[in-house]
Amino acid sequence: MRLRRVGETGAERPIVSTGDGRWFDASAVVPDYNPATLGDAQRLLSDALRAGRLPEFDPAGLRVGAPVARPGKIVCIGVNYLAHAQETQHEEPAEPVMFLKTSATIVGPYDEVLIPRGSSATDYEVELAAVIGSTARYLDDAKQGLACVAGYTVSDDVSERDFQMNRGGTWDKGKNCETFNPLGPELVTADEIPDPQLLDIRLSVNGEIRQKASTAQMIFGVGEIIRYLSHFMVLEPGDVVNTGTPAGVAFGYPDPKPYLRRGDVIETYIDLLGGHRSLLEEA
């Protein structure tokens, strides 16, 4: 299944498709796709679709929101592709590098991204995002990690490198500016993705390909990331796990670095998941 939320910000309606191009209104069964509902959403929607209880819905012309409303947390993995580690002058990590973003950074897949005031180095990072569907706590192996995934979507871990690197010694300042996590356009349930480590992933700026790789190149795969994280925190339904970005970020270019500017257009794509398009504006 493919899950979307459409409508104005704060008033999105959940819809569902089985992949044949038709969409159905899910709101009578699942009022929204959020931490309170994601654990049971797939089962409830499957039953309702089989019974023909969901009315067909035409989303044409409606804004597409992020496929998950206000996750409890966004857990991000840094330097998880070897070429990206090399371009940013990091050694290959022995364990996953983790940081957090707030849910307030999430916007829809076609919403504007705001360059923060005082920014000199706003950057892009296309990533495969795994959305948690069942509680992950002290998992034993990567297989158990994958079993906790409700589905996958496309994320852009937008970053301000000067804030991140030079303003106090933590990454958080450069990762949590408003609109710094476009997400979507839809959550594709895990059963539709046979292997999350076999997906092509890319990003372009103004039509120029900047990032192009495969999730097969991850240092730590999705299941292992979730297993690992579950020993440091409890992952709960609705949590988003950004699994790292491949090489090609602006920070990795030789000077002058092609950081984002007002009017730039970022386009992302991941196999089987689609992608999004963001216009850069100033805050």
Side-chain angles (χ1 to χ4, degrees):
M1 290 186 292
R2 309 179 84 88
L3 312 183
R4 282 195 182 192
R5 299 171 64 250
V6 296
E8 295 303 310
T9 303
E12 293 92 346
R13 176 190 298 266
I15 61 175
V16 59
S17 174
T18 56
D20 60 359
R22 295 188 302 159
W23 289 93
F24 298 87
D25 185 351
S27 58
V29 175
V30 180
D32 202 356
Y33 302 136
N34 58 33
T37 64
L38 268 182
D40 295 322
Q42 187 170 357
R43 176 182 57 80
L44 294 173
L45 292 171
S46 294
D47 291 346
L49 285 166
R50 279 195 298 269
R53 291 190 285 112
L54 300 184
E56 199 158 346
F57 184 88
D58 182 5
L62 294 177
R63 170 186 171 271
V64 180
V68 182
R70 285 286 178 165
K73 53 186 172 291
I74 308 167
V75 188
C76 304
I77 303 300
V79 292
N80 196 31
Y81 290 74
L82 182 58
H84 177 57
Q86 292 169 341
E87 73 175 351
T88 56
Q89 300 180 18
H90 286 88
E91 294 183 359
E92 181 177 349
E95 299 184 41
V97 176
M98 187 204 84
F99 60 93
L100 297 172
K101 298 184 83 155
T102 72
S103 61
T105 60
I106 288 183
V107 292
Y110 309 112
D111 291 345
E112 292 179 346
V113 170
L114 299 178
I115 298 172
R117 297 176 188 180
S119 169
S120 61
T122 295
D123 207 346
Y124 48 83
E125 293 190 7
V126 63
E127 307 199 9
L128 173 66
V131 179
I132 301 299
S134 59
T135 301
R137 178 177 180 271
Y138 293 113
L139 302 180
D140 292 327
D141 54 41
K143 184 177 180 180
Q144 290 182 352
L146 286 178
C148 291
V149 176
Y152 300 93
T153 191
V154 184
S155 182
D156 184 0
D157 173 25
V158 185
S159 308
E160 212 297 335
R161 303 300 188 185
D162 181 51
F163 296 179
Q164 176 184 350
M165 304 295 185
N166 302 320
R167 299 294 297 273
T170 69
W171 287 10
D172 293 349
K173 293 174 186 175
K175 296 287 188 175
N176 283 287
C177 302
E178 59 182 334
T179 74
F180 264 26
N181 206 135
L183 196 69
E186 54 206 28
L187 180 66
V188 180
T189 53
D191 60 301
E192 300 276 347
I193 308 299
D195 189 343
Q197 306 307 146
L198 292 176
L199 304 175
D200 288 340
I201 179 171
R202 65 177 182 263
L203 177 145
S204 67
V205 179
N206 301 329
E208 175 193 0
I209 296 291
R210 298 277 183 85
Q211 295 181 278
K212 186 176 182 180
S214 167
T215 57
Q217 298 166 354
M218 286 184 185
I219 298 169
F220 305 102
V222 175
E224 172 58 18
I225 288 169
I226 294 169
R227 182 211 66 80
Y228 179 88
L229 292 175
S230 77
H231 289 257
F232 296 90
M233 64 181 69
V234 177
L235 297 175
E236 300 173 310
D239 287 349
V240 174
V241 179
N242 286 341
T243 60
T245 199
V249 299
F251 179 68
Y253 275 67
D255 292 331
K257 300 181 187 297
Y259 287 123
L260 297 168
R261 297 290 181 264
R262 183 179 184 272
D264 285 347
V265 175
I266 307 171
E267 294 180 279
T268 64
Y269 178 81
I270 300 179
D271 278 351
L272 305 180
L273 304 179
H276 46 73
R277 184 178 190 274
S278 303
L279 175 68
L280 273 291
E281 291 291 349
E282 295 177 353

